[in-house]
PDB file of all heavy atoms in Angstrom:
ATOM      1  N   GLU A 173       2.577  58.516 -23.647  1.00  0.00           N
ATOM      2  CA  GLU A 173       2.734  59.945 -23.840  1.00  0.00           C
ATOM      3  C   GLU A 173       3.757  60.575 -22.936  1.00  0.00           C
ATOM      4  O   GLU A 173       3.714  60.335 -21.798  1.00  0.00           O
ATOM      5  CB  GLU A 173       1.339  60.685 -23.663  1.00  0.00           C
ATOM      6  CG  GLU A 173       0.212  60.277 -24.676  1.00  0.00           C
ATOM      7  CD  GLU A 173      -1.062  60.816 -24.259  1.00  0.00           C
ATOM      8  OE1 GLU A 173      -1.211  62.027 -24.068  1.00  0.00           O
ATOM      9  OE2 GLU A 173      -1.996  60.039 -24.155  1.00  0.00           O
ATOM     10  N   ASP A 174       4.546  61.457 -23.552  1.00  0.00           N
ATOM     11  CA  ASP A 174       5.485  62.160 -22.688  1.00  0.00           C
ATOM     12  C   ASP A 174       5.378  63.590 -23.152  1.00  0.00           C
ATOM     13  O   ASP A 174       5.806  64.019 -24.194  1.00  0.00           O
ATOM     14  CB  ASP A 174       6.852  61.649 -22.975  1.00  0.00           C
ATOM     15  CG  ASP A 174       7.987  62.287 -22.121  1.00  0.00           C
ATOM     16  OD1 ASP A 174       7.718  63.363 -21.545  1.00  0.00           O
ATOM     17  OD2 ASP A 174       9.066  61.745 -22.054  1.00  0.00           O
ATOM     18  N   SER A 175       4.903  64.370 -22.215  1.00  0.00           N
ATOM     19  CA  SER A 175       4.651  65.820 -22.608  1.00  0.00           C
ATOM     20  C   SER A 175       5.564  66.815 -21.967  1.00  0.00           C
ATOM     21  O   SER A 175       5.300  67.966 -21.767  1.00  0.00           O
ATOM     22  CB  SER A 175       3.151  66.251 -22.291  1.00  0.00           C
ATOM     23  OG  SER A 175       2.831  65.689 -21.115  1.00  0.00           O
ATOM     24  N   THR A 176       6.807  66.303 -21.636  1.00  0.00           N
ATOM     25  CA  THR A 176       7.838  67.262 -21.152  1.00  0.00           C
ATOM     26  C   THR A 176       8.406  68.055 -22.247  1.00  0.00           C
ATOM     27  O   THR A 176       8.292  67.658 -23.468  1.00  0.00           O
ATOM     28  CB  THR A 176       9.018  66.473 -20.513  1.00  0.00           C
ATOM     29  OG1 THR A 176       9.532  65.515 -21.543  1.00  0.00           O
ATOM     30  CG2 THR A 176       8.603  65.659 -19.298  1.00  0.00           C
ATOM     31  N   PRO A 177       8.880  69.266 -22.015  1.00  0.00           N
ATOM     32  CA  PRO A 177       9.338  70.151 -23.136  1.00  0.00           C
ATOM     33  C   PRO A 177      10.351  69.500 -23.966  1.00  0.00           C
ATOM     34  O   PRO A 177      10.314  69.606 -25.163  1.00  0.00           O
ATOM     35  CB  PRO A 177       9.910  71.319 -22.347  1.00  0.00           C
ATOM     36  CG  PRO A 177       9.235  71.333 -20.955  1.00  0.00           C
ATOM     37  CD  PRO A 177       8.985  69.865 -20.582  1.00  0.00           C
ATOM     38  N   ASN A 178      11.282  68.734 -23.395  1.00  0.00           N
ATOM     39  CA  ASN A 178      12.320  68.093 -24.327  1.00  0.00           C
ATOM     40  C   ASN A 178      11.727  67.013 -25.154  1.00  0.00           C
ATOM     41  O   ASN A 178      12.203  66.760 -26.284  1.00  0.00           O
ATOM     42  CB  ASN A 178      13.354  67.486 -23.435  1.00  0.00           C
ATOM     43  CG  ASN A 178      14.347  68.618 -22.940  1.00  0.00           C
ATOM     44  OD1 ASN A 178      14.325  69.765 -23.491  1.00  0.00           O
ATOM     45  ND2 ASN A 178      15.183  68.348 -21.971  1.00  0.00           N
ATOM     46  N   ALA A 179      10.752  66.186 -24.657  1.00  0.00           N
ATOM     47  CA  ALA A 179      10.396  65.109 -25.475  1.00  0.00           C
ATOM     48  C   ALA A 179       9.044  65.420 -26.226  1.00  0.00           C
ATOM     49  O   ALA A 179       9.029  65.472 -27.389  1.00  0.00           O
ATOM     50  CB  ALA A 179      10.168  63.912 -24.552  1.00  0.00           C
ATOM     51  N   ASN A 180       7.994  65.753 -25.447  1.00  0.00           N
ATOM     52  CA  ASN A 180       6.672  66.120 -25.978  1.00  0.00           C
ATOM     53  C   ASN A 180       6.369  65.037 -27.171  1.00  0.00           C
ATOM     54  O   ASN A 180       6.040  65.461 -28.243  1.00  0.00           O
ATOM     55  CB  ASN A 180       6.745  67.444 -26.611  1.00  0.00           C
ATOM     56  CG  ASN A 180       5.303  68.013 -26.579  1.00  0.00           C
ATOM     57  OD1 ASN A 180       4.361  67.353 -26.154  1.00  0.00           O
ATOM     58  ND2 ASN A 180       5.168  69.234 -27.102  1.00  0.00           N
ATOM     59  N   THR A 181       6.391  63.789 -26.715  1.00  0.00           N
ATOM     60  CA  THR A 181       6.197  62.785 -27.789  1.00  0.00           C
ATOM     61  C   THR A 181       5.036  61.895 -27.474  1.00  0.00           C
ATOM     62  O   THR A 181       4.656  61.840 -26.324  1.00  0.00           O
ATOM     63  CB  THR A 181       7.442  61.959 -27.964  1.00  0.00           C
ATOM     64  OG1 THR A 181       7.699  61.260 -26.570  1.00  0.00           O
ATOM     65  CG2 THR A 181       8.717  62.619 -28.309  1.00  0.00           C
ATOM     66  N   GLU A 182       4.552  61.261 -28.397  1.00  0.00           N
ATOM     67  CA  GLU A 182       3.554  60.181 -28.192  1.00  0.00           C
ATOM     68  C   GLU A 182       4.017  59.038 -28.942  1.00  0.00           C
ATOM     69  O   GLU A 182       4.234  59.046 -30.149  1.00  0.00           O
ATOM     70  CB  GLU A 182       2.164  60.685 -28.750  1.00  0.00           C
ATOM     71  CG  GLU A 182       1.189  59.608 -28.459  1.00  0.00           C
ATOM     72  CD  GLU A 182      -0.165  60.034 -29.079  1.00  0.00           C
ATOM     73  OE1 GLU A 182      -0.872  60.814 -28.462  1.00  0.00           O
ATOM     74  OE2 GLU A 182      -0.545  59.519 -30.214  1.00  0.00           O
ATOM     75  N   SER A 183       4.086  57.827 -28.225  1.00  0.00           N
ATOM     76  CA  SER A 183       4.448  56.624 -28.863  1.00  0.00           C
ATOM     77  C   SER A 183       3.251  55.681 -28.662  1.00  0.00           C
ATOM     78  O   SER A 183       2.796  55.565 -27.556  1.00  0.00           O
ATOM     79  CB  SER A 183       5.694  56.029 -28.214  1.00  0.00           C
ATOM     80  OG  SER A 183       6.730  57.021 -28.146  1.00  0.00           O
ATOM     81  N   LYS A 184       2.999  54.880 -29.681  1.00  0.00           N
ATOM     82  CA  LYS A 184       1.919  53.948 -29.564  1.00  0.00           C
ATOM     83  C   LYS A 184       2.203  52.670 -30.361  1.00  0.00           C
ATOM     84  O   LYS A 184       2.710  52.772 -31.406  1.00  0.00           O
ATOM     85  CB  LYS A 184       0.653  54.570 -29.900  1.00  0.00           C
ATOM     86  CG  LYS A 184       0.463  55.002 -31.332  1.00  0.00           C
ATOM     87  CD  LYS A 184      -0.889  55.654 -31.486  1.00  0.00           C
ATOM     88  CE  LYS A 184      -1.127  56.211 -32.945  1.00  0.00           C
ATOM     89  NZ  LYS A 184      -2.280  57.065 -33.073  1.00  0.00           N
ATOM     90  N   ALA A 185       1.657  51.639 -29.804  1.00  0.00           N
ATOM     91  CA  ALA A 185       1.784  50.387 -30.484  1.00  0.00           C
ATOM     92  C   ALA A 185       0.473  50.161 -31.346  1.00  0.00           C
ATOM     93  O   ALA A 185      -0.585  50.351 -30.842  1.00  0.00           O
ATOM     94  CB  ALA A 185       1.887  49.159 -29.568  1.00  0.00           C
ATOM     95  N   LYS A 186       0.690  49.939 -32.611  1.00  0.00           N
ATOM     96  CA  LYS A 186      -0.450  49.567 -33.398  1.00  0.00           C
ATOM     97  C   LYS A 186      -0.892  48.174 -33.072  1.00  0.00           C
ATOM     98  O   LYS A 186      -0.170  47.500 -32.372  1.00  0.00           O
ATOM     99  CB  LYS A 186      -0.171  49.807 -34.873  1.00  0.00           C
ATOM    100  CG  LYS A 186       0.060  51.252 -35.174  1.00  0.00           C
ATOM    101  CD  LYS A 186       0.233  51.466 -36.677  1.00  0.00           C
ATOM    102  CE  LYS A 186       0.191  52.924 -36.956  1.00  0.00           C
ATOM    103  NZ  LYS A 186       0.330  53.128 -38.449  1.00  0.00           N
ATOM    104  N   LEU A 187      -1.843  47.651 -33.722  1.00  0.00           N
ATOM    105  CA  LEU A 187      -2.382  46.340 -33.382  1.00  0.00           C
ATOM    106  C   LEU A 187      -1.197  45.370 -33.468  1.00  0.00           C
ATOM    107  O   LEU A 187      -0.603  45.132 -34.484  1.00  0.00           O
ATOM    108  CB  LEU A 187      -3.494  45.905 -34.330  1.00  0.00           C
ATOM    109  CG  LEU A 187      -4.372  44.744 -33.955  1.00  0.00           C
ATOM    110  CD1 LEU A 187      -5.181  45.100 -32.808  1.00  0.00           C
ATOM    111  CD2 LEU A 187      -5.146  44.327 -35.084  1.00  0.00           C
ATOM    112  N   GLY A 188      -0.929  44.667 -32.347  1.00  0.00           N
ATOM    113  CA  GLY A 188       0.181  43.617 -32.332  1.00  0.00           C
ATOM    114  C   GLY A 188      -0.518  42.348 -32.031  1.00  0.00           C
ATOM    115  O   GLY A 188      -1.534  42.319 -31.430  1.00  0.00           O
ATOM    116  N   PHE A 189       0.026  41.274 -32.541  1.00  0.00           N
ATOM    117  CA  PHE A 189      -0.455  39.915 -32.316  1.00  0.00           C
ATOM    118  C   PHE A 189       0.589  38.882 -32.265  1.00  0.00           C
ATOM    119  O   PHE A 189       1.684  38.997 -32.762  1.00  0.00           O
ATOM    120  CB  PHE A 189      -1.543  39.626 -33.398  1.00  0.00           C
ATOM    121  CG  PHE A 189      -0.835  39.582 -34.864  1.00  0.00           C
ATOM    122  CD1 PHE A 189      -0.224  38.620 -35.294  1.00  0.00           C
ATOM    123  CD2 PHE A 189      -0.911  40.897 -35.562  1.00  0.00           C
ATOM    124  CE1 PHE A 189       0.332  38.607 -36.675  1.00  0.00           C
ATOM    125  CE2 PHE A 189      -0.373  40.869 -36.857  1.00  0.00           C
ATOM    126  CZ  PHE A 189       0.219  39.813 -37.355  1.00  0.00           C
ATOM    127  N   ASP A 190       0.200  37.817 -31.714  1.00  0.00           N
ATOM    128  CA  ASP A 190       1.045  36.567 -31.577  1.00  0.00           C
ATOM    129  C   ASP A 190       0.148  35.378 -31.776  1.00  0.00           C
ATOM    130  O   ASP A 190      -0.817  35.204 -30.990  1.00  0.00           O
ATOM    131  CB  ASP A 190       1.611  36.539 -30.104  1.00  0.00           C
ATOM    132  CG  ASP A 190       2.341  35.228 -29.833  1.00  0.00           C
ATOM    133  OD1 ASP A 190       2.743  34.530 -30.785  1.00  0.00           O
ATOM    134  OD2 ASP A 190       2.491  34.858 -28.690  1.00  0.00           O
ATOM    135  N   LEU A 191       0.314  34.763 -32.842  1.00  0.00           N
ATOM    136  CA  LEU A 191      -0.479  33.560 -33.271  1.00  0.00           C
ATOM    137  C   LEU A 191       0.296  32.346 -33.324  1.00  0.00           C
ATOM    138  O   LEU A 191       1.432  32.349 -33.703  1.00  0.00           O
ATOM    139  CB  LEU A 191      -1.026  33.851 -34.774  1.00  0.00           C
ATOM    140  CG  LEU A 191      -1.678  35.121 -35.020  1.00  0.00           C
ATOM    141  CD1 LEU A 191      -2.054  35.265 -36.488  1.00  0.00           C
ATOM    142  CD2 LEU A 191      -2.934  35.321 -34.225  1.00  0.00           C
ATOM    143  N   GLY A 192      -0.287  31.260 -32.872  1.00  0.00           N
ATOM    144  CA  GLY A 192       0.475  30.021 -32.991  1.00  0.00           C
ATOM    145  C   GLY A 192      -0.395  28.906 -32.757  1.00  0.00           C
ATOM    146  O   GLY A 192      -1.625  28.918 -32.408  1.00  0.00           O
TER     147      GLY A 192
END
Side-chain angles (χ1 to χ4, degrees):
Chain A
E173 291 172 57
D174 182 345
S175 38
T176 54
N178 281 342
N180 205 6
T181 60
E182 180 184 280
S183 309
K184 61 183 178 188
K186 294 188 169 181
L187 195 71
F189 57 85
D190 171 22
L191 311 174

